[in-house]
Amino acid sequence: MTGPFETIEDEAASWVARMDSGRWDATDEAALAAWLALDATRAGLLLRTQAAWAAADLALIPAGSAATCDDLPAVVRPFWRRRNVLAGLAATIVAGVIGTTRIFAPETRYVTNLGEIRRVPLADGSTMTINSASALTVRIDAHTRQIALVQGEAWFEVAHDPARPFVVTAAGVTAQALGTAFSVRVRTTGVEILVTDGTVETRHADTAKVIPATRLIAGQRAFVDAQAAVRLEADRASAVDRALAWRGGMIDLEGDTLATAAEEFNRYNARKIVVSDPQLAGEKLDGVFRINDPEGFALAVKVSLNATVVDAAPDTIRITR
């Protein structure tokens, strides 16, 4: 971290801007820890500044806009860098807090637009990558780390902290990390959990008192439906990696039906793929495609399945026999 800074709020704003730049590394983590150790009030200031940053993000994104990111080309780019404005917001929010040792952790809301993928460093050292058209809230305090996923999907790299459980809730389902990396996705009929590293325990709120939590290890996935039934898949690390290819801006298909592939592309694009022929919809496909290239995918389907593609409409790509 370089200076000089006129106020401590400016310093906090600079840290948050650096976190959101996509260039955060172990050296930055160590420097931030040293900065926080200088004053007991700085942790609370940093949390509030992050809240101001997130609030300003939401206020300044035009409706329906999409962007691209440094670490995810052509998918999403951090869109707000006005640190001086952030410092002003932070100063307003933290008024009356400086000079105390109480750390207040506000609940911060994150929303991604259609086609947007966002990587967010958290105050505890964890990182979350939020998929397209998702919404969640984060609350981190001295005792717990709580994430509430309202819609969509997010992948979490969880910093080890046994004193503060890291718990994600979604549609009545909880997933508690036991030192791990995992994703949670809200689907129409339930919640899907995929583990890429470590261990996760999951359960439905309706069964919390009568059924032990289901434990997942790296390479496993579970689907918890609305009736609280847990369906656990066997160890298939490659399948989990393919399902999370969106983190790199890709859709990875291996034996997936055309209908499923179309549904995946439609998660990211305003221009929707419509498969008109039911038999064609059941055809299986392999391949890796960019999430923001439904036209390229449709062309590949045309060639591989001898299909007809009608793409004259600006908002629809129709695939049929």
Side-chain angles (χ1 to χ4, degrees):
M1 173 71 67
T2 59
F5 298 98
E6 293 184 2
T7 67
I8 192 172
E9 289 85 1
D10 288 339
E11 286 189 87
S14 183
W15 280 117
V16 174
R18 177 67 181 171
M19 288 179 181
D20 201 40
S21 70
R23 297 184 296 273
W24 189 261
D25 56 27
T27 301
D28 294 312
E29 190 70 36
L32 175 59
W35 182 79
L36 290 170
L38 293 174
D39 186 338
T41 66
R42 295 189 180 201
L45 173 60
L46 186 69
L47 288 171
R48 287 175 175 260
T49 305
Q50 286 180 307
W53 180 275
D57 269 354
L58 296 176
L60 294 175
I61 302 172
S65 67
T68 56
C69 180
D70 297 333
D71 54 349
L72 297 175
V75 182
V76 68
R77 180 179 304 280
F79 33 72
W80 198 57
R81 291 287 184 271
R82 284 175 278 182
R83 194 173 64 201
N84 57 332
V85 177
L86 172 63
L89 285 171
T92 301
I93 289 177
V94 302
V97 174
I98 302 300
T100 74
T101 58
R102 179 175 180 267
I103 298 176
F104 175 76
E107 186 176 88
T108 306
R109 185 169 183 257
Y110 298 89
V111 177
T112 54
N113 295 315
L114 183 69
E116 178 187 353
I117 297 172
R118 186 178 181 192
R119 184 175 182 273
V120 180
L122 299 178
D124 68 324
S126 301
T127 302
M128 60 184 183
T129 305
I130 311 171
N131 206 349
S132 167
S134 299
L136 56 81
T137 59
V138 177
R139 175 174 289 275
I140 298 176
D141 60 30
H143 306 290
T144 63
R145 296 174 289 174
Q146 298 282 342
I147 314 292
L149 181 63
V150 179
Q151 68 180 46
E153 180 178 17
W155 179 65
F156 306 93
E157 296 175 279
V158 181
H160 184 66
D161 187 351
R164 291 189 295 176
F166 191 102
V167 180
V168 179
T169 60
V173 176
T174 64
Q176 180 170 335
L178 304 178
T180 186
F182 68 107
S183 73
V184 179
R185 177 178 176 182
V186 178
R187 291 183 174 271
T188 304
T189 57
V191 176
E192 183 180 65
I193 300 161
L194 292 80
V195 181
T196 53
D197 183 57
T199 307
V200 170
E201 286 188 345
T202 184
R203 57 160 43 101
H204 196 285
D206 292 345
T207 65
K209 295 182 179 180
V210 294
I211 300 177
T214 298
R215 178 166 290 202
L216 309 176
I217 61 173
Q220 290 185 320
R221 73 167 80 187
F223 183 80
V224 187
D225 65 26
Q227 286 70 47
V230 179
R231 186 170 71 248
L232 177 65
E233 285 194 5
D235 189 346
R236 296 175 58 206
S238 60
V240 168
D241 289 339
R242 287 196 303 276
L244 295 174
W246 59 266
R247 296 171 299 172
M250 310 300 289
I251 292 174
D252 190 340
L253 306 174
E254 185 175 294
D256 297 274
T257 66
L258 176 56
T260 298
E263 181 183 349
E264 283 300 298
F265 274 97
N266 292 345
R267 293 177 70 191
Y268 303 96
N269 298 282
R271 196 179 192 196
K272 304 302 184 185
I273 296 175
V274 177
V275 184
S276 302
D277 187 296
Q279 185 176 358
L280 184 62
E283 294 284 351
K284 295 184 177 181
L285 299 166
D286 295 332
V288 181
F289 305 88
R290 292 203 60 82
I291 64 174
N292 59 353
D293 187 21
E295 295 83 5
F297 171 72
L299 179 60
V301 171
K302 178 180 179 180
V303 172
S304 62
L305 298 182
N306 194 28
T308 298
V309 175
V310 181
D311 62 353
D315 58 350
T316 304
I317 301 173
R318 191 170 299 277
I319 302 176
T320 187
R321 285 294 187 187

